[in-house]
Amino acid sequence: MSAETVKFNYNQQRAKDQFWKDEAGVEIPYSRTTKVERLHERSAAKVTRAAIAVHEKLAAFNELLTAASEEAYEAFMASKNITKKGKGNFLWHNFDRSIKIEVNVNQPIVFDDLTITAAKEKLDEFLDNQLEAKNQFVKSMVIEAFETSKGSVDTKKVLSLTKHEERINAPLFSEAVALINQAIRRPKSKTYRRVWVKGADGKYQIIELNLSSL
């Protein structure tokens, strides 16, 4: 597995250039640029060069971490004589467990908008026309599941409704469950890898590689 190569294109215009080009490609005489514009030009290029260097190191590190985690996983499964390996989340450690490496596979579930809307219509019809006293418990579950947050239904709560199909035993509810199952879409999974090291207090501390957390 190789790190994806990303090409960054930017220009640094310098004091020796007689003309500077703006974003529209118009040539502006250097003498008409301001001190602030010149400072921004120098500083932006300096920061960008450093950012690209960090990006390249992180890409190489991610490649190393991915390969090491794959090797650790395969070796462990081979030691247990397991040939069929459905890879999911896992942790691995060094010998004294002072290092912990976490591999988290996130495979989100989303719903096709039209199909889940049809399922909601079926559920509303069920609540209005076929809801028996013994099935009253499901009413609040349906309402909570479809209470939108930032325009999205609660995926876990919607899926939990399908577990009650046999208990409820109603045609409209079964039709709604079938539509919920049809609505499921699984976008490409994302894998997150984290490295933890034990501190002096014996607790694991993550090595932060995210600028927003520093």
Side-chain angles (χ1 to χ4, degrees):
M1 183 184 296
S2 60
E4 182 179 354
T5 301
V6 179
K7 293 184 178 180
F8 300 97
N9 296 313
Y10 71 97
N11 297 314
Q12 181 181 2
Q13 303 183 86
R14 304 175 187 277
K16 65 180 182 180
D17 298 327
Q18 187 176 0
F19 294 93
W20 281 16
K21 287 185 178 180
D22 65 12
E23 65 272 23
V26 177
E27 292 188 337
I28 309 296
Y30 174 76
S31 59
R32 286 176 51 193
T33 62
T34 68
K35 288 184 178 180
V36 171
E37 289 171 334
R38 296 167 193 170
L39 171 66
H40 286 188
E41 185 72 11
R42 292 193 305 272
S43 296
K46 183 178 180 180
V47 168
T48 299
R49 284 194 298 272
I52 291 173
V54 171
H55 170 83
E56 290 173 348
K57 288 182 179 179
L58 282 174
F61 168 73
N62 186 58
E63 185 175 353
L64 170 67
L65 180 54
T66 300
S69 295
E70 291 281 343
E71 185 179 24
Y73 180 86
E74 296 292 338
F76 179 83
M77 290 301 176
S79 72
K80 303 300 181 184
N81 295 317
I82 298 175
T83 55
K84 186 177 180 181
K85 301 180 283 289
K87 200 172 300 180
N89 302 338
F90 66 97
L91 297 172
W92 58 286
H93 303 79
N94 65 334
F95 190 72
D96 69 359
R97 302 181 81 84
S98 59
I99 299 172
K100 175 177 72 173
I101 298 174
E102 173 188 10
V103 178
N104 184 275
V105 181
N106 180 20
Q107 187 171 37
I109 294 176
V110 298
F111 291 126
D112 173 75
D113 287 341
L114 287 176
T115 311
I116 202 63
T117 298
K120 177 61 165 57
E121 292 295 327
K122 289 287 184 183
L123 287 169
D124 287 343
E125 188 179 350
F126 164 72
L127 295 178
D128 290 341
N129 301 321
Q130 289 190 5
L131 186 63
E132 300 176 9
K134 66 175 182 177
N135 291 332
Q136 283 291 331
F137 73 94
V138 81
K139 185 173 183 178
S140 61
M141 293 177 62
V142 171
I143 294 171
E144 288 180 12
F146 285 91
E147 280 182 345
T148 59
S149 174
K150 296 181 181 180
S152 302
V153 299
D154 190 316
T155 305
K156 289 184 178 179
K157 288 183 179 179
V158 172
L159 290 175
S160 71
L161 294 173
T162 64
K163 299 176 183 178
H164 301 285
E165 180 182 6
E166 189 172 326
R167 177 181 175 186
I168 290 173
N169 191 27
L172 275 174
F173 191 84
S174 293
E175 289 176 30
V177 166
L179 286 168
I180 290 172
N181 289 329
Q182 291 173 25
I184 293 173
R185 298 291 181 270
R186 296 180 185 273
K188 185 177 179 181
S189 63
K190 293 183 178 180
T191 302
Y192 301 91
R193 301 173 183 85
R194 301 177 180 91
V195 180
W196 306 71
V197 177
K198 278 187 180 178
D201 59 359
K203 295 181 180 179
Y204 287 110
Q205 298 179 8
I206 192 168
I207 299 176
E208 292 290 2
L209 299 172
N210 182 352
L211 286 177
S212 64
S213 65
L214 297 178

